[in-house]
Amino acid sequence: VQLQASGGGLVQAGGSLRLSCTASGRIASINTMAWYRQAPGQQREMVADITSGGETNYADFVEGRFTISRDNAKNTAFLEMNSLKPEDTAVYYCNAEVRSLMLTRTYWGQGTLVTVSS
């Protein structure tokens, strides 16, 4: 199983970006999908997660600016980020709990860099 994240880039403060994360491989089903981020010199932190049923959970710092969604048919999660701030600059990683034929485990994508300029 592999997770491929994309959509990062350079944006000015107040701008928007949409991140995508697609899982591929031997997948029976995917439980929770999540986005994490890690800024330079800081620990990785959860940004948002979403269950297979669509229930969502956000970190306090999101403050209504981000929206997580998913397309179960395409094994893809999205993170729509609006009103971006310089402090949102980080590498964003996707994460998914994947059930294969004999195993359920968590996988991580490779990360996509988001840079917000002031």
Side-chain angles (χ1 to χ4, degrees):
V1 174
Q2 292 185 327
L3 297 185
Q4 181 69 44
S6 62
L10 174 63
V11 64
Q12 289 188 332
S16 299
L17 283 174
R18 187 184 195 223
L19 307 183
S20 298
C21 173
T22 298
S24 61
R26 296 192 174 192
I27 298 170
S29 62
I30 301 177
N31 298 328
T32 300
M33 300 187 78
W35 288 96
Y36 284 71
R37 70 184 189 184
Q38 187 167 19
Q42 298 189 17
Q43 291 189 332
R44 192 172 297 188
E45 58 184 353
M46 194 276 284
V47 177
D49 63 33
I50 183 168
T51 68
S52 56
E55 294 181 4
T56 58
N57 180 44
Y58 296 93
D60 290 342
F61 61 75
V62 170
E63 298 175 325
R65 300 179 296 126
F66 300 173
T67 302
I68 189 171
S69 60
R70 64 190 282 176
D71 182 335
N72 290 330
K74 296 182 179 180
N75 293 330
T76 299
F78 305 97
L79 185 67
E80 184 78 34
M81 303 187 294
N82 300 310
S83 302
L84 282 161
K85 305 174 183 179
E87 51 263 45
D88 293 319
T89 295
V91 178
Y92 284 71
Y93 297 91
C94 62
N95 161 301
E97 185 180 61
V98 177
R99 186 172 70 85
S100 302
L101 289 178
M102 301 291 291
L103 180 69
T104 297
R105 59 163 287 186
T106 298
Y107 295 87
W108 289 89
Q110 84 286 5
T112 185
L113 178 62
V114 172
T115 303
V116 185
S117 63
S118 57

